[in-house]
Amino acid sequence: MSTATVPPLVAGSADARPPVIRSRDPRAHSRPTSRDEGWRYLPLARLGALLTDAPGSPVAGSAGEGVIVHRLTAQQRDEGSSLIPGDWCAAHAYDASAGATVLEIPAEATGSQAIPVRVALNEALVHDHLIVRAGAHSDTRVELVVEGAGAAGLLLEVHVGRGARLRLVLDVAVEAAAALLIDGEVVLDSDATFTGLSCQRGGAVVRTAIRVVYRGQGARAELLGLNVTGPGQHHESRPLIHHTVP
């Protein structure tokens, strides 16, 4: 299991955030409480089984033409994934998913039509890991729709290759009783461009935490959000931009 400690964003300042422990091992993290900065607004009691050690089932899903879909074993995923969770819920989802589904967009692929991807939460408890890889110099749009009524901890990992352009729409259209935690990472190579639109319009509790990592110079990212929230619903988005290069 990989473990790393990320220092405060403003080292030495009075209001600096505490270091973030990033580890794939749930034992390296504490379960979230209302005293934690990243979770204090969330109605934790409504997460139910997502705060237990119970493992969930994988999602059911489908993808349209334009992507190559394959499944990685846990060992293959561990060797090829760059995602290292920063909280207990994400680490438990990583551990419980026991692999990942990969959607490969070939290098230099283009298309005027969006590639539809549907993810269904058909079981009472779901844990899974989805990886989207846009090959170098590709130019595509993906519409990812999440549906269903269960409780789910999902990991979304996106890699945009050198000079590629990816537009990703994340449409959370789950049923009113659903509880959904999405922890994601977008990694951009040199001169890559990413535009993400997160639309939350269902669920009792929906929390998305997306981290953008610039791995190459000249990369660009734009994050957009739309929440359609009714009585009794809680929708929360937590983006983080991380520059590893100038």
Side-chain angles (χ1 to χ4, degrees):
M1 292 288 184
S2 300
T3 302
T5 300
V6 180
L9 296 180
V10 188
S13 65
D15 60 346
R17 298 180 185 181
V20 175
I21 296 175
R22 293 200 167 272
S23 176
R24 294 170 174 170
D25 187 349
R27 295 171 297 180
H29 306 277
S30 300
R31 282 178 172 81
T33 71
S34 58
R35 295 187 298 273
D36 298 324
E37 171 62 28
W39 297 89
R40 62 177 179 167
Y41 298 113
L42 203 76
L44 293 171
R46 295 164 68 181
L47 294 180
L50 290 174
L51 293 180
T52 71
D53 292 325
S57 303
V59 300
S62 63
E65 296 182 0
V67 294
I68 301 169
V69 182
H70 58 97
R71 183 76 182 179
L72 299 179
T73 65
Q75 181 177 350
Q76 291 171 329
R77 186 267 310 268
D78 292 347
E79 294 172 351
S81 171
S82 64
L83 192 150
I84 302 179
D87 61 66
W88 183 89
C89 290
H92 179 53
Y94 189 99
D95 187 57
S97 60
T101 297
V102 180
L103 296 109
E104 298 270 6
I105 299 170
E108 300 185 1
T110 60
S112 58
Q113 300 294 321
I115 300 171
V117 178
R118 306 190 82 83
V119 171
L121 314 179
N122 290 337
E123 304 295 333
L125 180 61
V126 171
H127 289 112
D128 214 343
H129 188 171
L130 179 64
I131 301 174
V132 180
R133 295 175 178 160
H137 303 290
S138 60
D139 186 353
T140 53
R141 179 161 56 98
V142 173
E143 293 184 355
L144 172 59
V145 180
V146 183
E147 303 172 315
L154 301 182
L155 302 174
L156 176 60
E157 185 176 347
V158 180
H159 294 260
V160 187
R162 181 182 179 89
R165 182 188 181 203
L166 176 64
R167 287 143 292 169
L168 174 66
V169 177
L170 174 61
D171 184 4
V172 178
V174 292
E175 296 182 24
L180 177 60
L181 301 177
I182 300 177
D183 191 88
E185 180 175 83
V186 179
V187 179
L188 303 175
D189 285 342
S190 300
D191 300 315
T193 301
F194 174 78
T195 302
L197 170 61
S198 174
C199 178
Q200 299 178 2
R201 56 188 180 95
V205 179
V206 178
R207 180 184 188 267
T208 59
I210 303 297
R211 180 171 177 255
V212 178
V213 179
Y214 290 93
R215 197 167 59 182
Q217 296 186 8
R220 300 175 57 188
E222 183 178 19
L223 302 181
L224 306 171
L226 173 64
N227 291 352
V228 183
T229 308
Q233 291 180 299
H234 179 94
H235 292 161
E236 185 173 323
S237 298
R238 288 184 169 266
L240 174 66
I241 310 299
H242 183 53
H243 293 265
T244 60
V245 295

